[in-house]
Amino acid sequence: RNTEDLVDILNDLLQTAACRIRSPQLVAPMDDDDNPKMEHFKRHILNQVYRILCIHLGTPPTTFDWSYRQSRNNNNNKIHRLTHQTPQAFLNKYVTLPYQHYVTLIQDP
């Protein structure tokens, strides 16, 4: 599918949000994450992003099944099947990438 519309919508939303975050009305009197106005605004934007993604891509599954083939030296091609996995449980058990250390930057000319 062509995701150009989705990318444009998300870019517009996030660029507008970045401008509002930098505005003095939103960050005053504190310029950190303890600011209740800032936290409320961030939560609002994240909810909008989630809603847009659900509209374009569908609601994420609550559970899923996963199967994979484990081959060692091409001798044993054992197939493993994981059933009724929640995304959070799968993440905690199988994903070892330190994704918390990555950031995404957007271009805002």
Side-chain angles (χ1 to χ4, degrees):
R1 288 187 173 182
N2 186 349
T3 58
E4 187 176 330
D5 291 340
L6 172 61
V7 171
D8 289 343
I9 291 168
L10 287 175
N11 278 338
D12 287 345
L13 173 66
L14 294 174
Q15 287 175 357
T16 302
C19 288
R20 290 222 26 225
I21 284 173
R22 291 185 212 114
S23 73
Q25 295 83 10
L26 189 63
V27 294
M30 292 182 286
D31 193 16
D32 58 24
D33 288 338
D34 292 333
N35 184 339
K37 282 175 129 179
M38 181 72 76
E39 285 303 310
H40 177 75
F41 181 70
K42 286 180 187 178
R43 204 171 304 110
H44 173 71
I45 294 300
L46 287 175
N47 285 336
Q48 284 186 326
V49 168
Y50 179 81
R51 182 176 167 273
I52 291 167
L53 289 173
C54 286
I55 290 169
H56 284 268
L57 304 174
T59 305
T62 55
T63 63
F64 62 93
D65 297 335
W66 181 263
S67 58
Y68 64 95
R69 180 176 305 213
Q70 181 182 13
S71 63
R72 293 185 180 159
N73 301 329
N74 294 328
N75 294 332
N76 183 8
N77 289 330
K78 187 174 181 180
I79 295 177
H80 298 272
R81 183 164 171 81
L82 308 170
T83 58
H84 305 294
Q85 295 289 305
T86 66
Q88 195 68 39
F90 185 86
L91 172 73
N92 293 334
K93 188 170 183 178
Y94 297 103
V95 177
T96 59
L97 180 73
Y99 61 90
Q100 302 92 336
H101 299 287
Y102 290 84
V103 295
T104 301
L105 304 176
I106 62 170
Q107 179 184 1
D108 190 11

